[in-house]
Each structure stands twice: as structure tokens, then as C-alpha cells.
Amino acid sequence: MAKSGQHGGNVLQMAEQYGLTPDSILDFSANINPLGMPSSLKQAIINNLDLAEHYPDIDYRRLHDALACHIGCSPRSVLAGNGATELIFALTHYLHPQKAMLPIPGFAEYRRALERGSCNILDYTLHESDDYQPTEALLDALTPDLDCLFLCTPNNPTGQQPPLSLLLQILDRCRALQISLIVDESFIDFLPGQTGLTAYLNDYPNLYILRSLTKFFAIPGLRLGYLLSANEQAINAMRDQREPWTINAFAALAGETVLDDRVYIQQTHHWLATEQAYLYQALNEFKELHVWRPAANYIFIRNRQTGLQLQEELLRHHLLIRHCANYPGLSAHHYRIAIKSHAHNQQLVTALKQVFGHG
Ligand SMILES: Cc1ncc(COP(=O)(O)O)c(C=O)c1O
């Protein structure tokens, strides 16, 4: 499958396909904070435009210090990257697993990274009857011949966050069986007060945590992510293996600037508390939709009216949602919808009323 079809946010391609101008489309397919990039960062970039005239520090010391300080860990446990995506590929290249387990449905890039290394991929199906959540049954599926397991918490596209107690059981079992556990926390910042599994890094050298700043701080075009692990040997090896300067100077500046922007973080949590509740309830009122309660800034749905192509119908209203037909484990009736500003969310609800023929 073409790379372009595997992600949301592909407004240009969809506009071309449907004969629309890209500017006329409201994008609910990429899960980006609608508050836009923090003004503190905009100002910092404007004030530091001449950074473009120099190579960034090849070790990104200030950036790694800022990330380590934010997490409360040693800078030696952190590796920043050009988005979490670079680190998914760097980590799978480093681990070079022979056998890996991927829960499905899940984020597409884990599979693409594993396929580069001729890895035997074992799909682990998450079931609708469990609300697409892993259960204790996963513990029995973990066997000593496995080299690594990917988990995404909260999961993309389902928006479900597994309970900490289960995550700790999985972590224990992986350590006992020497399985590397890669936990993608790219959306965890949207959950107020949640620190994910960072507190367990030191006790579990088999744990690798992926984080992204592109969604929460609305910088997918600037790109910044990081990897955390107490396995310093692994972090060093990945640092040594990779190409120099993959993070541009402004992305590094972003990491040094936004993590302390309390006002922006609070505004984001305030927006999400309000709009998550509004959109979840509004979508739930459509008997044509099965709606999963979201943990983060996107909502996963199944269209019960199977004859109706919801993405196409909404594009007639110039609204783009993410269809999930190309996720292994899902069907053409599953969709993911980003939570946006109140006015835009209302626009979506109004369009859905028209699509389903409600008054
Ligand atoms: C679960 C998950 N992990 C990682 C990424 C990659 O994020 P980044 O933009 O930091 O490369 C995405 C992007 O959509 C994602 O959904």
C-alpha cells in the first residue's frame, strides 16, 4: 500500500481526488491540537531566525537536557528525533528483532519499520467485544521466542488507554521473557496528569518509551519526538548509528521552549475537557454510529449504516475524516475523527445530521 494512503492529514491528495481546493477542506483526519503552535515558540523562532545559518549542535545537548529535565530522568536515557517516526525506525533497526508482536488495529509505521528488517510479525488481534483493549489474555500470548512487542497508549486509531495495572503486568512478563517492550506514548500529553510509564524506566531496561511533540504542540511540519530508555547502551548505539543533524535547529529550539509553557498546556487541557465531552456526546446521539469513549484528542467510530460511505458523504460538506479501511483488523465502516475547535466540531455534527437525514 502506498505510504500516502496510510495516514490522516492528506488534504492535498483528497482534494485532488475529489476535485476540491485544499483550502476549502476542514481536516478532521489528523489529530493535531487546534490551538496551533504555542505563541512562545512562534516568538522564539522569529527571535532566532539566524539559527538557520549554523549547523545545530550535533549532540543536541540543550535539547536532551530540556527533555530529561521535563521527564525527570538522566539525559543519557533520552534520544531526540525528527518526530517519533525517526525513532520507530531507529529503534527497530537497532533491536533487529526476528519475531515481533503487533496488536491490531495499530499505527502503521511499526509494521513498515519491522518489514525493513525481514522480521516475522505476529498480529495480535484486539477485539471489538473488548472495546479494542488488550486484556490479560495478552500475557499468555507472550512467549520466550518473541523479541519485541509494540503497544500504543492511548492507541491510535481506537483512542483507548489500557489500565496501568495491565501495562505493569505486561512489563513484568516482558522483562521475565527478555522481550523488548516499546510503548508509544505519542498522545499521552493530552491526558492531564498522566506520566505514562516513565516512572518505571529504571526498573525495566527492556522498556522503550516513544513520545511526540508534533500532536500536542501542533508542530507536525517542524517535527520533534523522543525516545526514553534506561538502557544507555541502546541509546548510545542508536545515537552513533544515525545520520547527523536529523533535527533542524528550529525543532530543537521547540523542544527547549515549549515543555515549560504551562499556559499553553493548561489551555489545551481545558479545550479538550470541554470539546471531548461535547463531541463524544453529540456523536453518541446518532443511532447510526457506534462511538468509543476517547482518552485523547480523537474519536473512533463505526458506521452502522453499512451502505453509506461516510468519508465521501462528509467530503461533500468539505469535511475530511480518516477512514480506517486500510488498518489491519478494521473495516470500511470504521473511522477516526479528530476533536477540533467548538465551531468546527459543531460544523461536523450539523453535516452528519444532513448525511443521516435528521431534521
Ligand atoms: C501513534 C503514533 N505514533 C507516532 C506517530 C509519529 O509522530 P511524529 O509526527 O512525531 O513522527 C504518530 C503520528 O501520527 C502516531 O499516531
Side-chain angles (χ1 to χ4, degrees), residues 305-354:
Q305 239 184 53
T306 49
L308 187 135
Q309 303 297 323
L310 203 51
Q311 188 191 56
E312 249 180 70
E313 292 295 329
L314 285 170
L315 270 168
R316 290 184 213 282
H317 297 259
H318 294 224
L319 307 178
L320 173 63
I321 62 170
R322 171 73 159 100
H323 77 74
C324 295
N326 57 352
Y327 279 91
L330 296 180
S331 74
H333 314 306
H334 293 96
Y335 300 89
R336 190 193 67 202
I337 297 173
I339 301 169
K340 293 175 73 77
S341 68
H342 189 62
H344 289 163
N345 294 336
Q346 277 181 318
Q347 219 173 309
L348 175 73
V349 173
T350 305
L352 278 170
K353 283 183 183 159
Q354 291 172 12

Side-chain angles (χ1 to χ4, degrees), residues 7 31 82-86 88 107 109-110 152 154-156 184 186-187 210-215 220 223-225 298 336:
H7 297 287
N31 306 321
N82 187 332
T85 303
E86 183 193 1
I88 292 170
F107 184 54
E109 294 303 324
Y110 314 142
C152 186
N155 192 24
N156 180 10
D184 185 342
S186 286
F187 289 97
L210 289 160
R211 294 275 182 101
S212 172
L213 276 75
T214 68
K215 297 109 192 9
R223 321 238 2 91
L224 187 64
Y298 49 94
R336 190 193 67 202

Side-chain angles (χ1 to χ4, degrees), residues 58-216:
I58 199 157
D59 293 321
Y60 299 100
R61 274 165 283 211
R62 285 168 65 170
L63 172 61
H64 286 115
D65 285 349
L67 293 166
C69 179
H70 173 65
I71 296 298
C73 68
S74 156
R76 293 188 300 279
S77 298
V78 189
L79 185 64
N82 187 332
T85 303
E86 183 193 1
L87 300 162
I88 292 170
F89 282 80
L91 183 57
T92 44
H93 181 73
Y94 166 74
L95 292 173
H96 195 61
Q98 300 302 300
K99 194 167 181 186
M101 182 179 277
L102 289 184
I104 58 169
F107 184 54
E109 294 303 324
Y110 314 142
R111 187 178 301 274
R112 289 188 66 241
L114 289 168
E115 280 171 350
R116 277 200 183 169
S118 67
C119 174
N120 177 6
I121 300 172
L122 208 64
D123 286 340
Y124 182 81
T125 304
L126 302 171
H127 297 286
E128 174 165 338
S129 52
D130 296 322
D131 284 332
Y132 294 101
Q133 286 275 41
T135 66
E136 285 187 8
L138 174 59
L139 299 172
D140 293 330
L142 297 173
T143 49
D145 57 329
L146 263 183
D147 298 310
C148 77
L149 165 68
F150 277 84
L151 287 180
C152 186
T153 62
N155 192 24
N156 180 10
T158 61
Q160 304 303 298
Q161 172 72 356
L164 179 63
S165 54
L166 178 64
L167 292 177
L168 294 181
Q169 282 177 283
I170 296 170
L171 199 46
D172 268 334
R173 179 133 175 94
C174 284
R175 185 176 58 183
L177 299 179
Q178 297 186 339
I179 298 170
S180 298
L181 177 61
I182 301 150
V183 181
D184 185 342
E185 297 183 346
S186 286
F187 289 97
I188 201 105
D189 292 335
F190 286 102
L191 283 60
Q194 283 261 5
T195 52
L197 293 182
T198 52
Y200 303 93
L201 283 166
N202 284 337
D203 291 332
Y204 295 88
N206 62 318
L207 172 62
Y208 298 89
I209 300 177
L210 289 160
R211 294 275 182 101
S212 172
L213 276 75
T214 68
K215 297 109 192 9
F216 190 90

Side-chain angles (χ1 to χ4, degrees), residues 55-58 60 86 239-247:
Y55 280 99
D57 170 18
I58 199 157
Y60 299 100
E86 183 193 1
R239 188 176 285 138
D240 290 349
Q241 265 171 11
R242 71 145 156 216
E243 296 88 347
W245 308 299
T246 56
I247 305 162

